Amino acid sequence: MATRHPLACTLVLAMAVMLHASAQPSPGYYPSSMVRPMAFSEGYDNLWGPQHQTLSQDHKALTLWMDRSSGSGFKSKRSYRNGYFGASIKVQPGYTAGVNTAFYLSNNELYPGNHDEIDMELLGTVPGEPYTLQTNVYVRGTGDGARLVGREMRFHLWFDPAADYHHYAILWNPDEIVFLVDDVPVRRYARTAAGAAFPDREMWAYGSIWDASGWATDGGRYKADYRYQPFVARFQGFKVAGCEAAAPASCRPVPASPAGAGLSAQQRGAMRWAQQRSMVYYYCQDQSKDRTLYPEC
């Protein structure tokens, strides 16, 4: 019988440990499984660019595209004061610099110039470089004027978002916002006693594809190149649950963890893994920021 060399066994074990360390961990709690998927028309309407979107025959999948003439967007039928908002998204490979595929909450139409917003944006790239997932929180107009107060956290994800569908979700409760990718919490933004701004007015859910050439890819260095048009984004697995704006006070938010509020130890471990492995920017670590605007940091 053949014998294994001790060095070979050591290398195999080391490789196994590395693979385990790089594998996506289980968060132990899956809020997406608690919310049934809906047909697009059950929860959403076209907002703009209707000629740049198509709906599947079963009304469960929506394709948006952007070309030189326009992008496209949709909006939830109802507004909410809290909730879980998710969609499975697949973006386009290749040259996509300047293209922003967004899934977000906002009340900008109700409060123009003084609005709240919670963003998940897949920012396009150039061949050989990864997509960037940008998460952001704006509160009461702090993203509208010259004094931009964004709270960005960006990631180069542990998978290729152009290769397959992945589920992106925002869980917004009265005390916290949790950004989730395939149920893994990648970021938690909490309401704190430190005076951090927190969105607490009703919002709608939106999705869109649009030209953000001025900033989206390497700070605007690379622009949308319409020789590669159309730029396509695919949405399916629409999930919405929570308290509509007109819901009674007895309506309970979707829990962020098995305990209800906060994250479990297993969820915190998964979030720590995602941030250590994939986070490439965090506004609280940006020394160029005016810290007086960010008491939460």
Side-chain angles (χ1 to χ4, degrees):
M1 185 174 72
T3 59
R4 294 185 178 179
H5 194 282
L7 178 59
C9 293
T10 302
L11 288 172
V12 170
L13 179 60
M15 291 177 64
V17 170
M18 289 175 62
L19 287 172
H20 179 73
S22 64
Q24 176 180 316
S26 167
Y29 179 70
Y30 300 89
S32 69
S33 67
M34 301 164 55
V35 183
R36 67 170 183 84
M38 62 170 62
F40 172 79
S41 55
E42 182 182 347
Y44 292 93
D45 289 315
N46 168 261
L47 181 63
W48 62 284
Q51 74 280 12
H52 285 71
Q53 59 180 252
T54 58
L55 194 59
S56 62
Q57 289 188 343
D58 62 6
H59 290 205
K60 293 182 179 180
L62 183 74
T63 300
L64 305 182
W65 67 91
M66 182 184 88
D67 59 24
R68 192 182 298 275
S69 66
S70 180
S72 189
F74 59 88
K75 176 185 176 181
S76 64
K77 293 177 181 288
R78 293 166 285 277
S79 64
Y80 298 82
R81 63 173 187 262
N82 59 66
Y84 174 93
F85 309 87
S88 294
I89 304 172
K90 182 180 179 183
V91 289
Q92 180 168 308
Y95 189 101
T96 55
V99 180
N100 186 329
T101 299
F103 185 69
Y104 62 104
L105 309 181
S106 181
N107 49 31
N108 65 310
E109 293 175 90
L110 187 60
Y111 303 106
N114 185 36
H115 83 284
D116 309 302
E117 189 167 311
I118 305 171
D119 296 329
M120 295 188 84
E121 300 168 301
L122 287 164
L123 306 179
T125 188
V126 296
E129 296 296 327
Y131 265 85
T132 297
L133 171 67
Q134 174 166 279
T135 65
N136 208 347
V137 178
Y138 292 124
V139 182
R140 295 187 180 268
T142 54
D144 291 328
R147 196 182 192 189
L148 184 67
V149 184
R151 296 171 177 84
E152 303 92 346
M153 185 182 285
R154 303 185 191 117
F155 302 84
H156 288 164
L157 293 166
W158 54 95
F159 55 82
D160 179 2
D164 205 350
Y165 285 93
H166 292 270
H167 199 73
Y168 303 86
I170 298 166
L171 203 161
W172 168 47
N173 282 343
D175 297 317
E176 62 195 334
I177 300 163
V178 182
F179 298 86
L180 302 134
V181 178
D182 293 335
D183 283 313
V184 173
V186 297
R187 179 183 182 183
R188 179 175 180 262
Y189 181 87
R191 183 195 295 268
T192 69
F198 193 88
D200 54 12
R201 300 179 295 181
E202 65 182 285
M203 289 193 275
W204 286 258
Y206 294 80
S208 62
I209 185 170
W210 59 287
D211 188 334
S213 288
W215 60 269
T217 307
D218 199 8
R221 178 183 177 189
Y222 299 101
K223 315 290 187 184
D225 186 338
Y226 288 100
R227 291 177 299 173
Y228 300 101
Q229 70 179 26
F231 301 102
V232 178
R234 294 177 169 85
F235 293 74
Q236 64 181 29
F238 297 98
K239 296 186 176 186
V240 176
C243 299
E244 295 180 20
S250 58
C251 181
R252 306 303 302 165
V254 177
S257 70
L263 299 179
S264 68
Q266 191 168 349
Q267 286 176 297
R268 290 195 302 271
M271 183 169 68
R272 186 165 52 250
W273 173 88
Q275 292 182 357
Q276 290 176 348
R277 189 187 190 285
S278 300
M279 188 180 74
V280 295
Y281 177 84
Y282 178 36
Y283 73 102
C284 280
Q285 297 173 352
D286 188 340
Q287 298 303 313
S288 70
K289 296 281 190 181
D290 180 352
R291 291 306 181 94
T292 64
L293 300 175
Y294 304 97
E296 67 271 22
C297 295

